[in-house]
Amino acid sequence: LTPYPLPLWIGEFFRGSLGAKAEDADRKAEKALTDSKAAEDSSEHALALARSTEEYAAWRTISDKQAEVIVKHLVSLKGHTITIFVFTDDPETSGYANRLAAVLNRVMKVTGAAWPGKLLPKPGLVFTVGKDREKDFALIVEALDTAGVEKASVLHKTAEHRAPDDGIEVNVGGKH
């Protein structure tokens, strides 16, 4: 045997025992890093889900600023009439319909009525327009779109053109 000085013997002793501990520490650190990344991914997924749920569940509103935009757009319809039908068992829908009626009533004569059908109305706003009121309908749609309340493309797509010639109605259905 080669005579080793005492510091070398001590170093050899600890190198063997500390090497195993270092490998164990590396394994634990790697697992912790993997777990941390998984938790971060899970957290990001939960936040995205919460945001989409919040957006889905948020009640429709018309702000005062949006109301001013709508009223300014519709000033030429002063004195014209519109009937709003609403499915009243849903508080979100009722609140939205009441706010829409209040805004439109600033320039038009709004008549409100409970939903006449036995089935639930389609979601969103569905206009029924008579042939003599097509220009009024276009102006209302433009006002709601400009204010950011409803999308014009959706309102045009869902509109029914079969009301009495001088009539314009809007059915306010649930949000979804």
Side-chain angles (χ1 to χ4, degrees):
L1 287 169
T2 310
Y4 287 111
L6 183 61
L8 197 53
W9 278 106
I10 293 172
E12 283 295 316
F13 172 78
F14 283 113
R15 184 173 64 156
S17 62
L18 292 179
K21 288 186 181 192
E23 287 176 9
D24 187 43
D26 283 345
R27 277 193 302 278
K28 287 180 180 177
E30 191 174 316
K31 182 176 180 345
L33 184 60
T34 301
D35 291 349
S36 172
K37 285 182 181 179
E40 183 180 1
D41 290 347
S42 180
S43 173
E44 287 175 8
H45 177 70
L47 281 173
L49 187 59
R51 284 186 195 107
S52 67
T53 301
E54 185 177 290
E55 198 174 292
Y56 179 84
W59 283 26
R60 294 171 288 180
T61 61
I62 300 173
S63 71
D64 291 341
K65 189 175 182 178
Q66 289 172 316
E68 289 303 318
V69 170
I70 293 168
V71 169
K72 284 179 184 176
H73 247 80
L74 300 181
V75 74
S76 65
L77 297 182
K78 190 105 176 135
H80 290 229
T81 61
I82 187 169
T83 302
I84 295 181
F85 292 101
V86 61
F87 178 67
T88 56
D89 286 352
D90 175 24
E92 186 276 337
T93 302
S94 295
Y96 183 64
N98 287 337
R99 178 64 173 153
L100 179 62
V103 170
L104 293 177
N105 203 42
R106 290 172 55 187
V107 287
M108 302 175 75
K109 181 181 176 200
V110 176
T111 306
W115 173 250
K118 293 186 182 192
L119 301 174
L120 292 177
K122 294 176 184 173
L125 299 181
V126 178
F127 283 86
T128 306
V129 185
K131 69 177 182 170
D132 296 342
R133 299 294 300 276
E134 290 290 340
K135 288 182 181 177
D136 295 353
F137 166 66
L139 195 58
I140 293 168
V141 167
E142 181 182 315
L144 294 173
D145 187 62
T146 301
V149 174
E150 298 283 343
K151 294 200 181 304
S153 60
V154 173
L155 296 177
H156 282 292
K157 183 178 176 182
T158 60
E160 300 172 2
H161 302 271
R162 61 174 174 82
D165 289 350
D166 63 346
I168 187 166
E169 304 168 349
V170 62
N171 295 320
V172 182
K175 182 174 179 184
H176 309 287

